[in-house]
Structure formats: structure tokens, C-alpha cells
Amino acid sequence: MRHLQHKLAIARGEIPAELLFKNGRLVNVLSGEIHEASVAVDDGRVVGLGDYKARRTIDLRGAYIAPSLIDGHFHLESSQLTASEFARAVVPHGTGAVVIDPHEYANVLGLDGIRYVLESTKNLPLDFFIMLPSCVPATPLETAGARITADDLALMIADDRIAGVAELMNYPGVYLGLKSELDKIAVGKGKAVDGHAPGLRGKNLNAYALAGVRSDHESTELEEAREKLRLGLHILLREGSTERNLAALAPLVNSHNAVNCSFATDDKLASDLAAEGHIDHAVREAIRHGLAPISALQIATINTARHYRLHNLGAIAPRFWADFIIFDDLKTFIVRQTYKKGVLVASDGKYLAKPSAATPLPRGTMNLRYAPGDLQVKCGRPRKMRVIEIVPDQIVTRQIVTTAKVENGLAVADVTRDLLKLVVVERHRATGNVGVGFVRGFKLRDGALGSTVAHDAHNVVVVGVNDADIIVAIQELAQLQGGQVAVQGGMVKACLGLPIAGLVSDRSLEEVIHRLDELNAAARALGCELAAPFMTLSFLSLSPIPELKLTDQGLIDASRMRKTSLFCP
Amino acid sequence: MRHLQHKLAIARGEIPAELLFKNGRLVNVLSGEIHEASVAVDDGRVVGLGDYKARRTIDLRGAYIAPSLIDGHFHLESSQLTASEFARAVVPHGTGAVVIDPHEYANVLGLDGIRYVLESTKNLPLDFFIMLPSCVPATPLETAGARITADDLALMIADDRIAGVAELMNYPGVYLGLKSELDKIAVGKGKAVDGHAPGLRGKNLNAYALAGVRSDHESTELEEAREKLRLGLHILLREGSTERNLAALAPLVNSHNAVNCSFATDDKLASDLAAEGHIDHAVREAIRHGLAPISALQIATINTARHYRLHNLGAIAPRFWADFIIFDDLKTFIVRQTYKKGVLVASDGKYLAKPSAATPLPRGTMNLRYAPGDLQVKCGRPRKMRVIEIVPDQIVTRQIVTTAKVENGLAVADVTRDLLKLVVVERHRATGNVGVGFVRGFKLRDGALGSTVAHDAHNVVVVGVNDADIIVAIQELAQLQGGQVAVQGGMVKACLGLPIAGLVSDRSLEEVIHRLDELNAAARALGCELAAPFMTLSFLSLSPIPELKLTDQGLIDASRMRKTSLFCP
């Protein structure tokens, strides 16, 4: 980095800048206006706005130049991509920085997972800032790979790229004042402290805010978000793959309160990022829903940079990094070019950055111990049993009660009633824990689907018609060191290896999208009609979310937060 | 302070709050709207918005309730009041916090002055946050009581009530990259770094911003302020006693950029504070100039709290201090009541807070060494001499050249031409420095006016018609341990003692205003027609401001920043 003195001399106009962007229409998120300006850049920074001499000039010919876009809350693991492949997906869409919560990595690998994320997100044309996961494990009712306490967070909070403490999902714990949760909030002092309080309203919401939580991204209804905003929570307007809240929340936002809003994706699939876009999509949606373009772009840039204290990001003015997007029309808002620290890193949808050195993968995480007999459910006579019923496109489930189909003294799947066997095998420390239950909604007529992405503990979860295919799926997942798989007649029909923590692929964006397409096609061929069968599968273990879930510890009555039995008494 | 657990229980509605403000129209500067709400308060904090039970209820009967007002930049010394008397003046006007720059105290007392300010601003119904003076002394051409370096600032920056580094007045030093100035900016890292760049535009302004300065309060013209705002400087809209920039700058501000604006008074006299008001006056003016009331109130509260990182100030929501103002009409905006941490501290213009224990005064600062002969100007024949000409209501002066009146081999005052003698006596360390010159514009026909408030070194400055009265003025100022005085015929006609650093009175608000009225009346009786003769006098030593000034080191050609001679060669 060149000395400040050198840059000051450039700013004073005494020596030429490295680069001048001239004839641009500058989206000035600081003065809240769009004005003509030339932007002088040196050594990756903006040094001045004005008529500067430069060694190289880029004529924008009247195009718009705005700060690069920022995602305020994202789980990188949801894309199943490495940071570098994620960059390939989103940099062409104008993303310059992402605030990520490596919640899934932390559940599998603990602090080593966070360290891997810190390391693998370096030296890319995209800045990553990391929130420290605050809820690992999610509950004691599932066996995760790690447990993270406030003391653990305190070890890492001081790092420059740690932006704060991630979503306090145990929101009752917060508003009830549990010491474990208040301690985590205290670790975040002076940095950001993110919230997660779906549907929380009224007095308990007041207590949640009073405890020190400063944001929320879970509002799905206008009045819920309004209440949170009034109580001082920064509102992250979420527009991800499945959770799409912008249409509902847009009427809340105006120029008097936009400063307290950011965009976030939370979870977004690789294919959606590539096809639909990232924060650029949220900007388009916001404008389409009537927000002033300048407000939408402030929300997408400076507001998020300020809330998370991302220094020198989010605006175009002296001292800020030269992170720009170029586009031609405010209404359609198609990002044509992306610059990172003054370097063109994407143009017309093409990613131009050079590949960076690969980060060594973290240790393997597949430690299974099970026997085929563990999958059997003894049942001497047809009994009433509790079955998980899928609610399409939602992470909640319902509990239904129906009579088991019995063969040879065992409860088995019944394709005619769409009752399939669901198995969860602990994979972190070879405890031998195996949970077995039944699920309705997949409509498989044959075979099995398996995954090591299984929120939040990410054990092996398999749904299937027969034990033989379920076991092949488990074996294939072990062979892949984690992944997703579709099996039929003892054969693997499609698969995606996820050797990085059993969550993330080491392959290219294109290969990941292609293999996921194959997996979905294989699931459809087996009879599944769900829009996203593997995502549905991945949420069947999520023990904090009602109503009935299955973890490695068995069936969970998630409404009462306790274990329950398969068979009714 | 009660435990957080207790407050959380109140927020959850399980136990009653101490206090409930009900039936208010809440000016919610976070959601950018005004809505009906009840506000529960406990132990000085807001614990919740909503229908809470409380041990005591205050029915607002539909009145507005807003966060208390914040001044973003103020020199407390300009009021000549102690912090506690200043509180008496402004708390009834709704002020809840002030960001002060003790530049004058620091020039006289150095770090001890800052320590006195930290101490004397405690335990009042008004929060003071202190910016560390960055330009002491203002120039080497006057002898101040102290010199403060970046190392000195680094000693104090970590204090919770230190909000950052105060205005970088040596703005050429900053944009030219002087190490001394860049070092001071570096000390402010992570806190606020204030600027001061009157009239600075174009490339040098870019360099000033690039160097790390983050605000400016010196814009007098719309386009100047617009340029600064575009370059990322926080704009302090100044409305003080003499500098009144709001009318000129109001057209710049709108809801898209108000977040980057604050109100400031910079310098405001006790009488103006009491009569006209403080930040409430700025709010009224802003609304009168067309700003949306919600924007004006955001500028007066949360925007300033955020810029200066005044934690838990500037809004009404859980976790914020219960600092409220109550008023009945958005247009007239007359503050009826002021609450500090839930306690009523002013009502209908009456200050209700109990007096706090007095802070011990800092050491005496009057260390004079002079002889009557030092005031004489030898002049054998009528010669051309340089004379300071006052420009009414401005701190700049002009230089004129005229022929000296000579009596007994000495140049003397000439009342017929309004040429009065001006004397500056060093008072900090008894150097024996005495500067003598002549000034036009006071129109005294008799006597002398003297002051120990004399920017920025605050030496003794006296203007007079004859040496005898000038000496009486100096003697009286020494006797008072600093002050302001009007003398005629060897008699003191009016005086205000300023024993605190020679800058500030130890008397009540009312007495200070009364004595200043007497001083101004006495000056008028001596023939002076200036609106504020003692303020004019106090700026005649200010060596950084053109054109001709007088310090203890002699006549200063302030345009060229060098000493000059009284007589033309």
C-alpha cells in the first residue's frame, strides 16, 4: 500500500492518479443524490471526486457508477459453494461485501470451522465479514460436532474481520435473561449483535431489544417489522431462495427510516444466485415495490456498511475503497461491470478475477458408527405411531398419527400411504446414535434420498422406501465424505460430494448447479413432487422448529422441546 | 444501577416499571414517524414501549414526546458559564447532551484544562462529551498557556466521555500532510475526527477528507456544504450567536441525506442561550426553512448521537436513556418539559435540577510582567503606521496605513480619527511580552476596555484612549484573576470577573448576563457603537485570521502568517 502522503499529493492534484472514471453519473449515497462526477482512484482507494489527471482514464459515457452492493446477513453454506466459487456467482451481480454467519460450519467444526472460513474468504474480489455463531448447538436435542460458549466467542471477537455476534436464535433465552445468552451479547459490545426473532412481538420483543440485540431479519409481516423498527432494531429485508419478505416489508421503508434497513439473503442456492442474482435482485425488487432508487441503493450499500462498521465501504468518496458497480438504467438495474479496489473483476456477467490459491480443506467430518439393525423398528402388531408431515416450502412440520404397516415384526415404509422411513445417523463423533421415524410428503415410490446437510447439527439424514437403499445412501455419503445422494435399486443415481464439512462442495459453481439439477431430477424420477426435496430433507432434523422432528437422539416434540416416542402409548 | 435482569422482567411485563409516560405522541426518530405510544422507564432507562404497569404514571394527554436535543459542536467557554450554569440555561430548552471542544481552556491550561472540564461537567442533568482540542496553540505567533501534541491527545483519548479529536483548524496542514496533523487524526481512530475548513473547496478539500477528517461546521454557502457532504464529511449546521448558517444551508438538507447532518452552535453567548434558546432554536429555524419536522428532529437527536457514538442517546426505545422533551406543537416547537434519565429537570422554562457539588477551580492563570513604559511607542516624527481596522460583526480585520499622532516623542491615540491604542500583555508565564498597536473602529472617546478572553491564546487585550486607563484596566483584570472590564477616568465602570482560566465566570447565569449588559452599556457610554464590543476585542489577537492582528509578540500580518512592524519602512 502506497503511503498516505502519495495519495494526498494526488488528491491535491499535484501528481496524476492511477485511474480516472470520467463522465459518470455518481450515485452519491452520502448526499442522497445522483450527480455527474469523475472519480480518481489510486492504489485501490478513491482519492478524489473531480477533474483529475490520471495515467489511465475510463470513460463511463454517462453510465451510473455506484458503490458495490453489500449483503447484511448470509449463510455461505446455503450456497454449498466455497467462498471463491461464491464470488464467481455474485461478483458479476455487483456484490462487493458480504456479512456472513458461518453457523453451519461452526455446528460441524466448531472454532476450526470459523477459522477455515476466515482463511478461505481472504484474497478474493469480495470482502467477507464474519459474525460469530451464537447458537451452537441449536438445542441439546441433537448431537452437533461442537459446542460454542461465550468464552469461545470472546477468543475471536477482536479480529478485524469479525463484525460481531451472529443471530441470537435462542430468543426466549435472551428475553428471559439466560446468563449464557446475555454473556454472548456482552461479547459483541462495540461490534454488531444480530437478532433472530421470528414473530416476536409486544413485551417480550421489548425485552429482547433491551437485552442488547440490535437487528432482526426474520420479519415476514409488515406490522411485525414496524414494531421491531420502532424498538430500535436494524431491519434486514430478506430476499433469499425460499424466504422472500421484501414484498411484504417494502411498505415500511421510506427515506426517513431507510438508514435503519439493510438487504440480506440469509440462505440462497447457487442456482438462484447465478440466475436471479444477489443483492442486485433485492434492489430491483425494492424499486419495483415503489422505493426511491436512491433509498434502495443506500440500503444496499452505506446503511449496511455503517450498521456493521465495515470501514471505508459503501460509498464513493475520498478514503473509501474503489469498489464500484457500473450500470446503465436505474429502473432495470442490470449491473454491467463490477470493480474491486479499482480493478475490473466482472463485466457483462463474466467473472474476470484470477483464481486465488486454494485454502487447505478442513479435516474430514464423517465419523459414523451404525449397524443395519439400528434402522429396524420392532413392532409386533399394528400400532398407532407419530409421523412427521411435511408442509411444502416451509421449515415447520406437522405431526400426524397413523397406524404402522408391519412386516415380519417390523414397522416398515408404506408407499401406498406415502409413509416413508426417515433415518438420522450421528456423524461427528461416532456415538452410534441413530434416530428412526416415518415421514409423509416425499411421495417416493422407490429408492432413497440422503444428505449430510441437515440443520442444525448436520448429521446424516436419509428418507427411503427400504432399508437396503437407505444403507446404500449412507455408505455413499460416507464414501463422499459428506454430500447429497439419490439411490434406487442399490445404485447411486445422482450425487453431489460435499467434502468440506459435509456441507460445501469443492467443485465449481457450474458443476454444483449441474449436479444439483441431476439430484432433483433423480428425486422426481423416484416420485418426489417437492420443489426442493433436499432442502426439505435438510430441515427435518431442525429441532428448534415445530412441530415434530427427528434427530440422532430420536423423535423430537419441537413445540415442547423434548423427546417423544415413535409409538403412541 | 439496578440489574439488567430486573429491567428485563419489567420489559416482559412481569413487574411494574418505575414510571410510565402514557398517551404521548412519540417522535420516533428510528422509524421516522410520529405514533401514539406509552413509554415505560425504570432506573433512568427506557425499558419498553407499550401498555405497561407502573408505580407512577404521567399522562401526556396527547403531547409530543421526543428524545432530548444534542448539540454537535460547542465551545462551552463562549457562554462564559460553568457547566452547571450552562445547564441551567439550556436544559429548559430541551438540551440533553452537548459535544464540546474545550479549545479555550486548553489554550490557557493545557491538559489540566481538559481535566477540569471532564470533572466539572459530571453529575449534571446534561451529558457532556468532549472532543480533544487539536490546535493548541493556534499558531507560533502568539504565546498561549500550553502546547498540546498528538502524544498528549493519545493520553486522554480512551476516556469514555472523550468522543474524539476536535476540529482540525490547521486545514492546510492537514491537506498538505504535515506529520503533526496526521498524527492527531490517527489518535482519533475509532472515534470522531472533526474538521474546520472555512471556504475549502475542490482538490484540497478532497485531500482534507482523504486524510481522515470526518466533519465540518464552517460552511457558510450552500454549494460549499454540498461539496463537503458529497465528499463524505458530516455537516454540522451551525446556528450560534454570530455565525448563523442555517438559512443558507437548509436547502441542502433532505430526508435522503439528513442522516449526515447535525445541529451545532459553535459559540453562543449566555444571553442568547437564555433568550433565544439552543438546539431548539435550530430545530425551529430548520422547520421554518422547510425541513420536514421529523428530519429536523432526527438531525437534532439520533444523527448526532450516531456520528459521535454517544451510546444509548438520541432515541426513545428500549436500552436508551430516558432523556425526553415534551412539547405541544410541531410548528412552534416550544419545549415545555425536559426529562433526564426519567427525572423532570425543567418545566415551563424553569430549571428544576438540584445544584451539584462545586468542582474545585483550576489554578489561577494571571501571571503578568510589564512596566508602564512597555505601553509607550517611541516616535520622533509623524510616521506612517499600520493600523488594524475592524470589520463589524466579522473576525477578519483589514490593514490600513495612516500617519501616527505624536506627542512628546510618543505615538498616541487620536480620538478625532478613531485611532485607539491596542495593547496585548502575555499573561500565562510572565514572559514580559507586550504587543502595542493601533486600531480603528471602536470609536471610544474616553477610557479603555479590557479582556482576558482573547482568541486563541487568551492574553490580556486592552483598547484605550490613554495609557493611564489602559493600565487601570490591566490592573483590574489582574485583580479579578481574569475578566472583562470598562474603565473611565481611572475608575472601573463595569466588570465581569472570569476567574476560571480568565475565560469563565464562577457566578450565576443571571449575574453573568447582567454584568455583560452593564459592560456593554459602559462601552456604549464611552462612545462605542459596535454590537458586541468585547467579542470584537476578543478576536483582535486571533493570529490565524487575516488581515492584521496584534498578539503579545507584536503586530501580525495574518495573511502571510508572519510578524510585521508597526511603522512602515
Side-chain angles (χ1 to χ4, degrees):
Chain A
M1 184 176 138
R2 259 174 238 143
H3 202 278
L4 177 59
Q5 293 293 355
H6 182 83
K7 293 197 189 70
L8 289 175
I10 295 169
R12 293 194 300 268
E14 294 166 7
I15 49 177
E18 202 177 296
L19 194 54
L20 183 73
F21 293 78
K22 71 170 189 183
N23 299 324
R25 279 189 279 182
L26 175 62
V27 179
N28 195 319
V29 294
L30 300 165
S31 60
E33 57 179 344
I34 294 169
H35 59 85
E36 293 182 9
S38 293
V39 183
V41 170
D42 198 86
D43 193 29
R45 292 236 191 214
V46 176
V47 292
L49 305 185
D51 173 32
Y52 282 91
K53 290 216 165 64
R55 293 201 300 280
R56 192 158 66 93
T57 296
I58 293 170
D59 191 340
L60 295 175
R61 300 166 192 274
Y64 293 93
I65 175 169
S68 293
L69 311 178
I70 306 177
D71 188 338
H73 176 68
F74 181 61
H75 300 289
L76 184 52
E77 303 92 325
S78 67
S79 72
Q80 301 183 311
L81 299 171
T82 57
S84 58
E85 289 302 307
F86 172 73
R88 289 188 56 215
V90 302
V91 167
H93 288 285
T95 307
V98 192
V99 180
I100 59 171
D101 169 11
H103 177 71
E104 323 304 344
Y105 276 123
N107 263 283
V108 175
L109 287 164
L111 297 190
D112 281 346
I114 303 173
R115 289 190 193 101
Y116 165 73
V117 169
L118 275 165
E119 200 55 37
S120 63
T121 53
K122 278 182 184 165
N123 303 319
L124 294 170
L126 176 61
D127 291 319
F128 289 84
F129 297 91
I130 290 140
M131 302 292 283
L132 294 177
S134 68
C135 296
V136 177
T139 76
L141 299 173
E142 49 187 322
T143 307
R147 168 176 302 277
I148 294 183
T149 65
D151 286 345
D152 295 322
L153 303 185
L155 285 176
M156 307 193 83
I157 191 77
D159 188 292
D160 271 354
R161 289 203 297 137
I162 301 288
V165 172
E167 46 183 330
L168 272 297
M169 285 185 279
N170 182 1
Y171 56 90
V174 172
Y175 67 67
L176 291 171
L178 291 195
K179 184 171 183 311
S180 59
E181 305 312 299
L182 298 184
D183 284 351
K184 290 171 191 166
I185 291 172
V187 169
K189 201 187 166 192
K191 298 203 170 190
V193 177
D194 274 350
H196 163 117
L200 189 62
R201 307 279 297 263
K203 289 183 172 129
N204 286 339
L205 178 61
N206 275 281
Y208 190 64
L210 179 64
V213 172
R214 299 291 178 91
S215 75
D216 183 77
H217 57 261
E218 291 289 340
S219 291
T220 53
E221 290 177 17
L222 179 61
E223 288 311 312
E224 175 188 357
R226 190 190 307 281
E227 197 175 334
K228 289 173 175 171
L229 182 63
R230 284 177 173 181
L231 295 180
L233 298 181
H234 189 83
I235 301 297
L236 294 134
L237 305 159
R238 179 170 56 182
E239 195 71 6
S241 270
T242 48
E243 298 286 347
R244 292 173 177 267
N245 310 127
L246 202 44
L249 305 187
L252 174 66
V253 188
N254 59 52
S255 60
H256 296 292
N257 62 29
V259 64
N260 297 315
C261 299
S262 291
F263 292 123
T265 48
D266 204 355
D267 293 301
K268 197 156 186 176
L269 299 171
S271 52
D272 290 340
L273 291 168
E276 178 186 78
H278 187 210
I279 298 303
D280 59 327
H281 173 70
V283 171
R284 284 189 291 272
E285 285 297 291
I287 293 172
R288 194 167 68 82
H289 286 104
L291 211 64
I294 186 70
S295 291
L297 282 161
Q298 286 172 322
I299 291 170
T301 60
I302 188 69
N303 299 359
T304 309
R306 279 191 176 151
H307 182 76
Y308 290 98
R309 308 191 189 187
L310 315 181
H311 299 301
N312 301 327
L313 289 178
I316 300 179
R319 84 178 162 83
F320 285 86
W321 291 109
D323 291 4
F324 307 146
I325 57 173
I326 311 296
F327 59 98
D328 299 303
D329 184 273
L330 259 182
K331 257 197 163 159
T332 58
F333 190 62
I334 308 292
V335 174
R336 176 154 60 77
Q337 292 188 321
T338 308
Y339 286 84
K340 186 70 185 177
K341 295 186 179 173
V343 176
L344 184 66
V345 290
S347 188
D348 293 313
K350 278 216 181 75
Y351 184 71
L352 303 174
K354 287 179 197 142
S356 57
T359 309
L361 298 194
R363 65 172 169 79
T365 58
M366 293 298 287
N367 298 303
L368 299 178
R369 184 158 68 87
Y370 69 99
D374 295 343
L375 277 56
Q376 295 178 350
V377 180
K378 293 211 169 72
C379 187
R381 55 182 168 86
R383 290 176 67 182
K384 293 276 182 196
M385 64 177 183
R386 296 184 175 87
V387 172
I388 300 169
E389 183 172 64
I390 289 165
V391 181
D393 304 327
Q394 296 208 32
I395 62 175
V396 297
T397 60
R398 274 194 291 266
Q399 171 182 314
I400 56 170
V401 173
T402 187
T403 306
K405 175 182 178 185
V406 179
E407 282 181 357
N408 304 322
L410 301 173
V412 297
D414 181 356
V415 174
T416 61
R417 288 187 291 156
D418 186 25
L419 295 178
L420 306 184
K421 188 178 269 188
L422 184 68
V423 176
V424 175
V425 183
E426 192 276 328
R427 72 170 172 101
H428 302 293
R429 40 189 121 165
T431 54
N433 288 353
V434 178
V436 183
F438 290 87
V439 61
R440 188 160 81 179
F442 276 100
K443 299 188 181 168
L444 296 185
R445 290 180 306 263
D446 199 5
L449 306 177
S451 174
T452 55
V453 179
H455 299 277
D456 277 340
H458 300 296
N459 287 307
V460 172
V461 59
V462 186
V463 60
V465 168
N466 59 72
D467 285 9
D469 281 344
I470 290 175
I471 287 174
V472 169
I474 296 171
Q475 287 169 339
E476 177 68 12
L477 291 173
Q479 182 72 25
L480 290 168
Q481 278 297 305
Q484 292 177 322
V485 64
V487 171
Q488 186 181 20
M491 302 284 291
V492 174
K493 308 302 277 188
C495 71
L496 168 66
L498 299 171
I500 309 176
L503 299 169
V504 164
S505 169
D506 56 351
R507 301 306 172 86
S508 71
L509 168 65
E510 293 78 7
E511 183 172 343
V512 170
I513 293 174
H514 176 67
R515 282 182 172 269
L516 285 170
D517 285 347
E518 286 185 337
L519 278 165
N520 287 327
R524 272 195 299 279
L526 294 174
C528 183
E529 295 169 6
L530 293 170
F534 287 89
M535 187 178 287
T536 300
L537 186 61
S538 76
F539 284 114
L540 294 184
S541 287
L542 186 60
S543 58
I545 304 295
E547 190 171 43
L548 187 66
K549 298 286 166 116
L550 181 73
T551 77
D552 64 304
Q553 298 178 23
L555 270 183
I556 305 297
D557 176 347
S559 306
R560 294 191 178 79
M561 281 296 276
R562 64 186 187 195
K563 294 180 197 177
T564 186
S565 60
L566 175 61
F567 293 110
C568 303
Chain B
M1 183 175 139
R2 259 174 240 144
H3 204 277
L4 177 58
Q5 293 292 356
H6 184 83
K7 293 197 189 69
L8 290 176
I10 295 169
R12 293 193 300 268
E14 294 167 6
I15 50 178
E18 202 176 297
L19 195 54
L20 183 73
F21 293 79
K22 71 171 189 182
N23 300 324
R25 280 189 279 181
L26 174 62
V27 179
N28 194 320
V29 295
L30 300 164
S31 60
E33 58 179 343
I34 294 169
H35 59 85
E36 293 181 10
S38 293
V39 182
V41 170
D42 198 85
D43 193 30
R45 294 237 190 211
V46 177
V47 292
L49 304 186
D51 173 30
Y52 281 91
K53 291 215 163 62
R55 292 200 300 279
R56 193 158 65 94
T57 296
I58 294 171
D59 191 340
L60 295 175
R61 299 166 192 274
Y64 293 94
I65 176 168
S68 293
L69 311 179
I70 307 177
D71 188 338
H73 176 70
F74 180 61
H75 300 287
L76 184 51
E77 304 92 324
S78 67
S79 72
Q80 300 182 312
L81 298 171
T82 58
S84 58
E85 289 302 308
F86 172 74
R88 288 189 57 216
V90 302
V91 168
H93 288 284
T95 307
V98 192
V99 180
I100 58 171
D101 169 11
H103 176 71
E104 323 304 344
Y105 275 123
N107 263 283
V108 175
L109 287 164
L111 298 189
D112 281 346
I114 302 173
R115 287 189 195 102
Y116 165 73
V117 169
L118 274 166
E119 201 54 37
S120 63
T121 52
K122 278 181 183 165
N123 303 319
L124 294 170
L126 176 61
D127 291 319
F128 289 84
F129 297 90
I130 290 138
M131 302 292 284
L132 294 177
S134 67
C135 295
V136 177
T139 75
L141 299 173
E142 48 187 323
T143 307
R147 168 176 302 278
I148 294 184
T149 65
D151 287 345
D152 295 322
L153 303 185
L155 285 177
M156 308 193 81
I157 191 76
D159 189 291
D160 271 354
R161 287 204 297 138
I162 302 289
V165 173
E167 45 182 332
L168 272 298
M169 285 185 277
N170 182 2
Y171 56 90
V174 172
Y175 67 67
L176 292 171
L178 291 196
K179 184 170 182 311
S180 60
E181 305 312 299
L182 297 185
D183 284 351
K184 289 170 190 164
I185 291 172
V187 168
K189 200 187 166 192
K191 297 204 171 191
V193 176
D194 273 352
H196 163 117
L200 189 61
R201 308 279 296 265
K203 290 183 170 126
N204 286 340
L205 178 61
N206 275 281
Y208 191 65
L210 179 64
V213 171
R214 298 290 178 91
S215 76
D216 183 76
H217 57 262
E218 291 289 340
S219 292
T220 53
E221 291 176 16
L222 180 61
E223 289 310 314
E224 175 189 355
R226 192 190 306 280
E227 196 176 335
K228 288 172 175 171
L229 182 62
R230 286 177 172 181
L231 295 181
L233 297 181
H234 190 82
I235 300 298
L236 293 135
L237 305 159
R238 180 170 55 183
E239 195 70 6
S241 269
T242 48
E243 297 286 348
R244 292 173 177 266
N245 310 127
L246 202 45
L249 306 188
L252 173 67
V253 187
N254 60 51
S255 60
H256 296 294
N257 61 31
V259 64
N260 297 315
C261 298
S262 290
F263 292 123
T265 48
D266 202 355
D267 293 301
K268 196 155 186 177
L269 298 171
S271 52
D272 289 341
L273 290 169
E276 178 184 78
H278 187 210
I279 298 302
D280 59 327
H281 172 71
V283 172
R284 283 188 290 272
E285 286 297 290
I287 292 172
R288 195 168 68 81
H289 286 104
L291 210 64
I294 186 70
S295 291
L297 282 162
Q298 286 172 321
I299 291 170
T301 59
I302 188 69
N303 298 359
T304 308
R306 280 191 174 150
H307 183 76
Y308 290 99
R309 307 189 190 189
L310 315 180
H311 300 302
N312 301 328
L313 290 178
I316 300 179
R319 84 176 163 83
F320 285 86
W321 290 110
D323 291 3
F324 307 147
I325 57 174
I326 310 296
F327 60 96
D328 299 302
D329 183 273
L330 261 182
K331 258 196 163 160
T332 58
F333 190 63
I334 309 291
V335 173
R336 176 154 60 77
Q337 292 187 320
T338 308
Y339 286 85
K340 185 70 185 180
K341 296 186 178 173
V343 176
L344 184 66
V345 291
S347 187
D348 293 312
K350 279 218 179 74
Y351 184 73
L352 303 174
K354 286 179 198 141
S356 56
T359 309
L361 297 194
R363 66 170 169 78
T365 57
M366 294 298 286
N367 297 304
L368 300 176
R369 183 157 69 86
Y370 70 99
D374 295 343
L375 276 55
Q376 296 179 348
V377 180
K378 293 215 168 69
C379 185
R381 56 181 169 83
R383 290 176 66 183
K384 293 276 184 198
M385 64 177 183
R386 296 183 176 88
V387 170
I388 300 167
E389 183 171 62
I390 289 164
V391 181
D393 302 329
Q394 296 207 32
I395 61 175
V396 297
T397 60
R398 274 194 291 266
Q399 171 182 314
I400 57 171
V401 173
T402 187
T403 306
K405 176 179 176 186
V406 179
E407 281 180 358
N408 305 323
L410 299 173
V412 296
D414 181 355
V415 172
T416 61
R417 288 187 290 156
D418 186 24
L419 295 178
L420 306 185
K421 188 179 272 190
L422 185 68
V423 175
V424 176
V425 183
E426 192 277 327
R427 73 170 171 103
H428 303 293
R429 41 188 118 163
T431 53
N433 287 353
V434 178
V436 183
F438 291 86
V439 61
R440 189 160 81 179
F442 276 100
K443 298 190 182 167
L444 296 185
R445 289 181 306 263
D446 200 3
L449 307 177
S451 174
T452 55
V453 179
H455 298 277
D456 277 340
H458 300 295
N459 287 308
V460 172
V461 59
V462 186
V463 60
V465 168
N466 59 72
D467 285 8
D469 282 342
I470 290 174
I471 286 172
V472 169
I474 296 171
Q475 287 168 337
E476 178 66 11
L477 292 173
Q479 182 71 24
L480 291 167
Q481 278 296 303
Q484 292 177 322
V485 63
V487 172
Q488 185 180 21
M491 300 285 288
V492 174
K493 307 303 277 187
C495 71
L496 168 65
L498 300 171
I500 308 177
L503 299 169
V504 165
S505 169
D506 56 351
R507 302 305 173 88
S508 71
L509 167 66
E510 293 76 8
E511 182 171 345
V512 169
I513 293 174
H514 176 68
R515 284 186 172 267
L516 284 170
D517 285 347
E518 286 186 337
L519 277 165
N520 286 327
R524 273 195 300 279
L526 294 175
C528 183
E529 296 169 5
L530 293 170
F534 287 89
M535 188 178 285
T536 300
L537 186 62
S538 77
F539 284 114
L540 295 183
S541 287
L542 186 59
S543 57
I545 304 295
E547 190 172 42
L548 188 67
K549 298 288 167 117
L550 182 74
T551 77
D552 65 305
Q553 299 178 22
L555 270 184
I556 305 297
D557 176 348
S559 305
R560 294 189 179 80
M561 282 295 276
R562 64 185 187 197
K563 295 180 196 177
T564 186
S565 61
L566 176 61
F567 293 111
C568 303

